[in-house]
Amino acid sequence: MSRRPATRKPWSRSMLAWAAAASLVVGCDAFEGGDGSSGAAPEVSEGRAASPLQNADGTEPGLASVTSEEDRGEARRLIEKLAVKGRGPKTGYERDEFGYAWMDTADGVPLARNGCDTRNDLMNRDGQDVHFRSGSDCVVMSMTLHDPYTGKDIDWKKQNAMAVQIDHVVPLSYSWQMGSSRWTEDRREQLANDPLNLLPVDGPTNSAKRDSGPASWLPPNKRIRCSYAVRFAQVALKYDMPVTAADKGMMLTQCGG
């Protein structure tokens, strides 16, 4: 299989290793183990993942844990900037309101118009040992993905495509209820295809999330829950989007607030 030449990649592929030193603070028993006990998180690899605090445009792979007190303080200050409001109605929401899926023509976001659709861009960004379709430097046929949501490595092949899904960290339906229903179509297309808002993750885990905010759903991997909160906040702030008071409170809790 041919590989995309490194010189043609429009984003940095720097290798970042982030060692996790402590378990994250968990907000409520609903996100703990079955007996409600907090227990230490198991040791897991974070692959090449970058910390969201050092990856503000989303062009680096993965979602590394935020562990130092200094970084967790920075995370809380970021989250504190979020405006809050209640969810509006879901009336009128359809995926097509955000453009056709994985379009390469959503101007104003990284990786747009590079000749490769958004899904394959994200698989290539986060995957390791990536193999492309013969004659292509775009279509990913197989890879190994370190899934931040579960902490496990997934050996993925295109014939089992749904084993890995691309998660919108801020779900499109959530954004609709928080005001994107009034945005221009171009801005909605940006949100749907912005690498900052997109993570390749374990398919069943992503399906379980649905359109939940952080108060209703957090990644099973406790080590990256503060990082997930940071990324959710980064997207909301970039698009001037409020979150619910419950979501903001849960996000602060994950980072020690």
Side-chain angles (χ1 to χ4, degrees):
M1 300 273 183
S2 63
R3 297 175 182 266
R4 180 179 299 179
T7 55
R8 297 187 60 184
K9 293 172 184 170
W11 61 90
S12 170
R13 301 285 296 197
S14 56
M15 306 294 285
L16 302 176
W18 297 86
S23 300
L24 300 186
V25 177
V26 179
C28 59
D29 287 345
F31 295 109
E32 302 294 349
D35 61 358
S37 60
S38 57
E43 290 296 322
V44 293
S45 165
E46 292 190 339
R48 299 180 298 113
S51 164
L53 294 171
Q54 280 79 51
N55 185 23
D57 63 359
T59 56
E60 296 292 336
L63 197 64
S65 55
V66 174
T67 58
S68 75
E69 285 306 312
E70 181 180 359
D71 284 351
R72 289 164 71 83
E74 182 181 346
R76 292 192 296 272
R77 289 189 291 274
L78 181 76
I79 295 166
E80 286 284 11
K81 296 177 183 179
L82 291 166
V84 299
K85 63 171 284 187
R87 280 208 198 201
K90 194 174 177 178
T91 307
Y93 169 76
E94 292 185 13
R95 175 61 177 84
D96 288 348
E97 294 289 342
F98 295 78
Y100 65 86
W102 314 130
M103 61 194 303
D104 186 37
T105 55
D107 291 327
V109 296
L111 313 186
R113 297 187 182 275
N114 66 351
C116 189
D117 66 80
T118 304
R119 177 181 168 84
N120 279 297
D121 276 334
L122 273 293
M123 302 284 267
N124 188 27
R125 182 196 70 182
D126 288 20
Q128 299 181 67
D129 193 23
V130 175
H131 292 262
F132 298 94
R133 177 181 292 166
S134 179
S136 170
D137 64 355
C138 173
V139 180
V140 178
M141 298 301 292
S142 66
M143 65 169 183
T144 298
L145 176 74
H146 176 75
D147 169 34
Y149 287 0
T150 64
K152 69 183 181 181
D153 292 330
I154 302 171
D155 291 324
W156 179 86
K157 290 181 172 55
K158 192 171 178 63
Q159 56 263 40
N160 189 20
M162 294 304 289
V164 167
Q165 298 176 16
I166 309 297
D167 180 42
H168 287 96
V169 177
V170 175
L172 302 184
S173 174
Y174 181 99
S175 81
W176 185 266
Q177 295 171 76
M178 301 307 291
S180 72
S181 58
R182 298 184 295 275
W183 294 359
T184 65
E185 183 177 355
D186 286 348
R187 190 158 180 80
R188 287 197 294 266
E189 289 175 354
Q190 289 173 354
L191 177 68
N193 293 278
D194 191 337
L196 184 65
N197 194 32
L198 297 170
L199 285 172
V201 297
D202 175 65
T205 302
N206 182 53
S207 296
K209 174 183 171 179
R210 302 175 65 86
D211 67 350
S212 301
S216 302
W217 186 92
L218 289 169
N221 180 10
K222 298 174 186 178
R223 299 171 69 90
I224 59 94
R225 287 178 177 176
C226 178
S227 299
Y228 178 80
V230 168
R231 178 52 52 83
F232 202 101
Q234 287 173 323
V235 175
L237 289 168
K238 178 175 179 177
Y239 288 89
D240 298 318
M241 185 192 313
V243 300
T244 69
D247 286 332
K248 182 174 180 178
M250 180 60 76
M251 293 158 73
L252 286 169
T253 297
Q254 300 316 306
C255 296

